[in-house]
Amino acid sequence: MIPPMTILITAGPTCEAIDPVRFLTNKSSGKMGYAIAKSAADQGHRVILISGPTNLNVPDLVDYIPVESTQEMYDAVEHWIKKADIAIFAAAVADYQPANISEQKIKKDAETITLKLVKTPDILGSAKQKFGYQGVLIGFAAETENLEMNAREKLKRKGCDLIVANDVSRKDIGFNTNQNEILLISADYIERPPKASKQHLSHIILEHAVNLAAPRGMD
Ligand code: PMT
């Protein structure tokens, strides 16, 4: 029997407004993050789910915090992460946002327009470095090439205890699919579970998270 912990999960896409009716986003459905939230809540953990817009039902017994932009997700994570023993970042966060948001709908008078983009804040990378988070930190890596090498680089750069890497160039796994195939990479080990449903893989991810928490006296 695992003692209950507080688990913060980010899920879904973020949306970056261009004008009052248009935005930049990505293909994340939220299925991976919501599967982890459901499994964690079913196991009796307190779950704080910070999610961009999705069409999914929020799992029962989850504290749900809806957000739209990366900045909103950043602010929500900064506020809630201090309460967490484990933080799992499954959201597909926009890396760039428009430098300016037009107050009015942009007219389609010109043949071409140029959109200037600036970097969004790195939420995962801020967890330990800016928010002072000391719990177990798990990031995802969505890659289209050099999966293991890029995931290892993110593990170090973002100060994670574990990276869950998936190949988002494949149509059968990754974005908006019910199945996924993941690599679990820590500083000490690598594990390659076989392709399975996101719900099944969420149990494996949680098992790793709880094992990483145990030596810190969180069990
Ligand atoms: O939602 P689904 O349709 O089920 O799809 C699942 C998924 C493919 C979205 C998911 O499994 C996944 O890979 N999520 C991470 C997507 C992503 O943004 O990966 P990344 O390699 O660009 O980012 C690395 C990590 O940094 C991620 O944990 C991300 O949440 C985080 N990040 C990235 C940028 C940023 N500004 N802030 C962040 O916190």
Side-chain angles (χ1 to χ4, degrees), residues 27-32 89-95 120-124 139-143 154 158 166 168 174-176 180 198:
K27 293 179 175 174
S28 172
S29 63
K31 288 179 183 179
M32 189 69 248
F89 287 70
V93 182
D95 292 318
T120 55
D122 182 353
I123 310 170
L124 177 61
F140 270 70
E143 305 295 341
K154 277 179 188 161
K158 302 208 179 201
N166 45 197
V168 291
F175 284 114
N176 198 15
N180 209 357
K198 287 181 175 172

Side-chain angles (χ1 to χ4, degrees), residues 45-59:
H45 298 294
R46 180 188 176 201
V47 177
I48 302 167
L49 175 62
I50 300 173
S51 174
T54 77
N55 292 321
L56 304 176
N57 293 325
V58 178

